[in-house]
Amino acid sequence: MLVLALVTLLLHGALMGLFYAFSMSVMPGLNAIDPAHAGAAMRSINRKILNPWLFIVFMGSPLAALVTGIVTGSVWFYAAAVVNGVGSFLVTVAINVPMNNALDAGTMPYQKYAPRWTRWNTIRTVACAVSLVLTGIGLTAL
């Protein structure tokens, strides 16, 4: 039970860190260079980030919180699963991925893409921070 809760905490922290790094360093760095180069770099990042490590953290965070909630009966883990599921998973699938696809297809210029994508990524970061805190509270309540 404790190991499962710790894995849940680790997954939420890793996902929050990933989103945080994008909003606080990757996107500002890309915004500081020529938009054509920034768009090309972001398209490359979007292709390379689709790997098993991302999927373990991205899909594992809400799933681990849900399983931990079931195993422990703790509402804190259920809450973390919901916040992460809506604020990270749903936002990614409904907003960030379609924008990535539009950038890749050339139907959205980088100058329009970057501020909107970063705004929604920051929302994902906040949701992951909240779910991380909820997971931490759940862990301390075990």
Side-chain angles (χ1 to χ4, degrees), residues 21-44:
F22 265 89
S23 285
M24 300 307 148
S25 62
V26 173
M27 296 308 288
L30 291 176
N31 293 341
I33 64 174
D34 177 78
H37 296 298
M42 191 64 183
R43 284 189 296 277
S44 179

Side-chain angles (χ1 to χ4, degrees), residues 42-129:
M42 191 64 183
R43 284 189 296 277
S44 179
I45 290 168
N46 287 338
R47 289 183 194 115
K48 293 298 181 182
I49 201 167
L50 298 176
N51 65 68
W53 294 110
L54 171 70
F55 294 121
I56 288 169
V57 172
F58 178 68
M59 297 169 88
S61 295
L63 182 60
L66 179 62
V67 170
T68 306
I70 292 168
V71 169
T72 65
S74 173
V75 68
W76 297 107
F77 292 102
Y78 287 122
V82 170
V83 170
N84 189 286
V86 172
S88 172
F89 188 83
L90 187 62
V91 168
T92 299
V93 171
I95 298 169
N96 289 85
V97 168
M99 289 180 64
N100 292 347
N101 293 340
L103 181 70
D104 193 50
T107 58
M108 179 180 282
Y110 183 80
Q111 298 91 320
K112 183 178 174 187
Y113 167 91
R116 184 172 175 227
W117 190 94
T118 304
R119 188 169 38 256
W120 283 102
N121 186 67
T122 302
I123 289 168
R124 297 188 302 180
T125 305
V126 170
C128 287

